[in-house]
Every structure is written in structure tokens, then in C-alpha cells.
Amino acid sequence: MAKNILMRRLLPLLALILLYQVCSAQSADVQSKITEIRKMYNNEMEWINTMLGDETIPDDYITSKVRHNIAGTGQAEETIEFFFNDDFDEELGKYVSSLDFVRKTTVYTIAERKSYEEFLYDDDGLPAFYYTCFTTYLKDGDNYAEKCVEIRAYYDKGAQFHTICKVGNDNSSLVEVPLTEELENQLFFGFLQFGKLKDTLNGILN
């Protein structure tokens, strides 16, 4: 009888210990993947800086400037930088350009706003990392206030597994907050651009 009572008391504790171990293992796996992606990002930045700074290294990048009128926002100018590599495709029998990284800056001249985005692809051409920073109006109490937003999203084989969102009155006061529905939409549209940017490069080079 006493043994049964003891077991009933121990079972919830054992369940909590098991849950903690599972959560710790998942957290460690997430951190490991984030560390790997950050290393991939740093390597890409190092290569880009080396390539652009050394005249003896052939350049593999395209800069595109687009000016267009956006409804509700006015005149906008986009600067898009495509960084890619050329690998020989055995099946096609020719060199094919594959996208590694994209930097995109959008300036809205009438609204006087600016947004910046980065897109990092993994070795299979799938989304690995997305970063964006911009200013927008977000609900603050009963009113809307202009806020600075910074979002980082990490992907494993193209599937999002971790997101960091920071919001503040300016870049020096950013604090981490949960994603709102509005910011979720921004992240969704950012994700869609991975495929569109690849299609753009393929249309130009392949």
C-alpha cells in the first residue's frame, strides 16, 4: 500500500524530469542549428568582402536597381544585390549559376521610409536565414506609433524553426517581443521572396 502511494507521488516528478530532458534536448538541437547557420552566414560575408575587395578575384554578383510607384506608398527605389556561384551540372553538361545570398534595400521617397533585407540560401538552394529591418506603425495601447522592427528567421532545409523579433522606438531601444499577426505577414512575404529571387537570377543567367 505504502509502495503504491510512493509510486503515485513519484510519477508526476518523473514525468516532469522526462519533459525537462526532452525540452533541453530540443533546445540544444535548435541552438546547434542556429550556430551552424550563423557560421554559414559569417563565411558568406567573409567571402563577399574578399571578392569585392580583391581585384584579382572574378566577381560573381549582379546589382539591380528598380524604380517604381507603389500604391499607397509612392515612388520607391530598390537596390538588389545577387551573390551567386557557378557549378558544372553533369546532367545538363554546362555551368549553372546558383544563388547564395541576396541583399535588398528599398527606399520609399515620398513616405521617407527604408527597409533592408537579407536572404541566405543553404548548399541545396533552400532558405537558411532571413533578416529584415524597417520602420512601420504598430499598435501601442489605444493608438498607433512609429516603431523600428528587426526580424531574424532561421530555416532547416527550408522549414522555419526559430524566429527572433525585436521592436523599439529606435534602433538603440530594440527589445525582443512575440511576433504579432502583422509581423507574421511580413515574415511570410519575406519567405516568398526566396523563390522569386532565385527565379529572377535563373531568368538572367541560366
Side-chain angles (χ1 to χ4, degrees):
M1 181 70 176
K3 184 178 179 180
N4 290 337
I5 293 174
L6 180 61
M7 286 301 296
R8 283 199 298 268
R9 291 177 177 175
L10 284 176
L11 282 175
L13 178 59
L14 292 173
L16 285 173
I17 292 174
L18 180 61
L19 180 62
Y20 172 78
Q21 290 175 335
V22 171
C23 290
S24 296
Q26 290 176 339
S27 178
D29 183 51
V30 167
Q31 288 304 316
S32 176
K33 289 178 181 178
I34 290 174
T35 299
E36 184 179 342
I37 291 171
R38 286 175 176 169
K39 183 178 179 181
M40 187 192 314
Y41 177 90
N42 290 335
N43 288 341
E44 186 66 29
M45 292 302 100
E46 183 178 350
W47 165 245
I48 288 173
N49 291 333
T50 300
M51 178 184 67
L52 296 180
D54 190 337
E55 294 182 356
T56 64
I57 299 176
D59 294 331
D60 283 325
Y61 80 98
I62 296 171
T63 299
S64 170
K65 287 189 177 292
V66 181
R67 289 180 60 86
H68 60 133
N69 187 62
I70 299 177
T73 306
Q75 182 71 58
E77 180 175 297
E78 293 181 343
T79 302
I80 310 172
E81 297 174 277
F82 299 84
F83 297 91
F84 55 92
N85 67 79
D86 296 314
D87 289 323
F88 190 78
D89 190 309
E90 296 289 347
E91 294 183 1
L92 297 176
K94 65 176 184 178
Y95 281 92
V96 175
S97 301
S98 57
L99 194 54
D100 291 332
F101 185 77
V102 176
R103 291 192 293 222
K104 180 179 178 182
T105 302
T106 305
V107 178
Y108 306 99
T109 54
I110 295 178
E112 296 184 348
R113 299 198 183 284
K114 179 179 178 179
S115 69
Y116 176 74
E117 296 170 283
E118 294 181 344
F119 306 81
L120 177 67
Y121 297 79
D122 64 17
D123 292 338
D124 296 321
L126 297 172
F129 175 71
Y130 172 70
Y131 170 81
T132 183
C133 60
F134 55 94
T135 57
T136 188
Y137 282 92
L138 298 176
K139 195 166 181 59
D140 188 7
D142 295 330
N143 301 309
Y144 280 84
E146 188 175 31
K147 298 289 184 180
C148 292
V149 179
E150 191 176 81
I151 301 175
R152 291 174 173 83
Y154 298 84
Y155 303 89
D156 181 25
K157 295 180 175 58
Q160 181 183 320
F161 69 89
H162 187 69
T163 307
I164 300 173
C165 177
K166 294 182 178 181
V167 175
N169 293 324
D170 52 43
N171 290 328
S172 64
S173 64
L174 294 172
V175 294
E176 191 168 347
V177 298
L179 276 172
T180 62
E181 182 178 353
E182 180 181 355
L183 296 180
E184 282 276 12
N185 289 335
Q186 172 67 33
L187 187 55
F188 175 71
F189 288 121
F191 177 76
L192 291 180
Q193 290 185 79
F194 276 96
K196 293 179 179 179
L197 292 168
K198 283 182 66 175
D199 290 342
T200 298
L201 182 74
N202 287 333
I204 296 173
L205 296 179
N206 297 323

